[in-house]
């Protein structure tokens, strides 16, 4: 018997600052419903959450101002799939080497990150990554003052490294973290990968 399967994932994208529009556009392209999260009530009935790149200090502060930090942490405790890209990865990490004193974080994923690890804006770069979980074709992507992942806990799967072994993408259960910006690559495979995690939880 063939399974009929009409699940349309509703994915919230934290829309306080940063590159949220590009994520919403990719989600629309993939047929998912994208919701811009600006208020706590926008977290209702979501199947997954994306925390975009931008400036983690600013996003963190705004998260507190808009009363979103607590409810986001509650969602994380409930096990909702969450994907952090770049600044979003910093916010998701349990540890950062140089978070500004008092920088509000979500502190959920068992990784330690180093902010601005590749230098200033001018040292931003593009590269072709090998990401076995996405198939054979390399994933062309952009590092824009991104962090790197220094260490990962025992339950964390490394999804991609640079040629020198630097970890730049990882997964821990329903949590996904990427140090770069897949939403500006034109390649939807990382978004599809996240949607598969979401579908797995909602089957
Ligand atoms: N440097 C930023 C931070 O520390 C992250 C940059 C980005 O998201 N592209 O928050």
């Amino acid at each position: 018997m063939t399974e009929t399967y009409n699940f349309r994932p509703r994915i919230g994208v934290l829309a306080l600052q940063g590159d949220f529009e590009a994520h919403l556009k990719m989600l629309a392209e993939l047929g998912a419903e994208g919701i811009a999260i600006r208020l706590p009530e926008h977290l209702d009935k979501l199947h997954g959450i994306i925390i975009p790149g931008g400036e983690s200090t600013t996003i963190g502060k705004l998260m507190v101002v808009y009363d979103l930090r607590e409810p986001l942490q509650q969602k994380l405790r409930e096990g909702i799939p969450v994907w952090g890209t770049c600044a979003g990865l910093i916010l998701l990490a349990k540890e950062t080497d140089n978070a500004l004193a008092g920088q509000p974080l979500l502190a959920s994923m068992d990784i330690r990150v180093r902010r601005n690890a590749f230098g200033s804006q001018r040292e931003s770069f593009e590269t072709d990554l090998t990401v076995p979980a996405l198939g054979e074709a390399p994933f062309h992507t952009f590092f824009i003052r991104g962090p790197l992942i220094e260490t990962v806990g025992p339950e964390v799967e490394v999804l991609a490294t640079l040629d020198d072994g630097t970890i730049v993408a990882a997964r821990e259960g329903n949590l996904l973290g990427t140090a770069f910006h897949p939403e500006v690559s034109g390649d939807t495979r990382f978004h599809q990968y996240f949607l598969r995690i979401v579908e797995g939880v909602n089957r």
Side-chain angles (χ1 to χ4, degrees):
M1 210 167 69
T2 50
E3 194 185 352
T4 47
Y5 183 59
N6 291 320
F7 175 65
R8 184 174 184 225
R10 220 174 5 256
I11 307 296
V13 183
L14 193 62
L16 300 174
Q17 188 265 342
D19 202 16
F20 52 89
E21 290 285 359
H23 280 290
L24 290 167
K25 203 164 150 246
M26 277 234 167
L27 291 169
E29 237 173 80
L30 293 172
E33 188 182 346
I35 313 262
I37 304 172
R38 295 198 171 88
L39 297 168
E41 54 261 43
H42 298 154
L43 294 171
D44 292 346
K45 303 196 187 105
L46 294 180
H47 300 112
I49 295 173
I50 296 176
I51 307 177
E55 197 49 53
S56 60
T57 46
T58 308
I59 299 176
K61 273 186 206 153
L62 292 174
M63 235 164 37
V64 172
V65 170
Y66 288 91
D67 287 329
L68 278 163
R69 186 173 176 226
E70 277 300 314
L72 278 167
Q73 285 182 316
Q74 178 58 29
K75 287 273 173 195
L76 280 157
R77 280 194 292 272
E78 289 166 9
I80 192 171
V82 180
W83 176 16
T85 60
C86 214
L89 170 67
I90 298 166
L91 290 161
L92 262 193
K94 273 204 177 135
E95 259 192 88
T96 81
D97 69 319
N98 61 348
L100 294 184
Q103 174 176 356
L105 301 166
L106 294 168
S108 295
M109 192 170 177
D110 194 10
I111 55 173
R112 175 180 161 92
V113 299
R114 191 184 326 150
R115 287 187 64 214
N116 303 331
F118 302 102
S120 70
Q121 193 76 20
R122 284 173 53 199
E123 278 128 354
S124 295
F125 62 99
E126 306 178 26
T127 191
D128 281 329
L129 278 182
T130 304
V131 190
L134 302 185
E136 259 176 42
F139 191 89
H140 188 78
T141 194
F142 300 80
F143 286 78
I144 307 168
R145 284 210 320 129
L148 63 74
I149 302 174
E150 275 184 339
T151 56
V152 300
E155 303 301 321
V156 179
E157 179 191 354
V158 171
L159 296 179
T161 60
L162 298 177
D163 290 342
D164 67 1
T166 303
I167 304 170
V168 291
R171 173 177 176 179
E172 182 187 10
N174 295 332
L175 302 180
L176 181 61
T178 50
F180 44 87
H181 285 261
E183 74 284 7
V184 294
S185 63
D187 186 335
T188 55
R189 284 179 295 157
F190 247 110
H191 287 74
Q192 283 172 295
Y193 181 79
F194 181 64
L195 291 177
R196 280 200 298 277
I197 298 178
V198 171
E199 282 168 12
V201 171
N202 289 279
R203 254 177 209 279

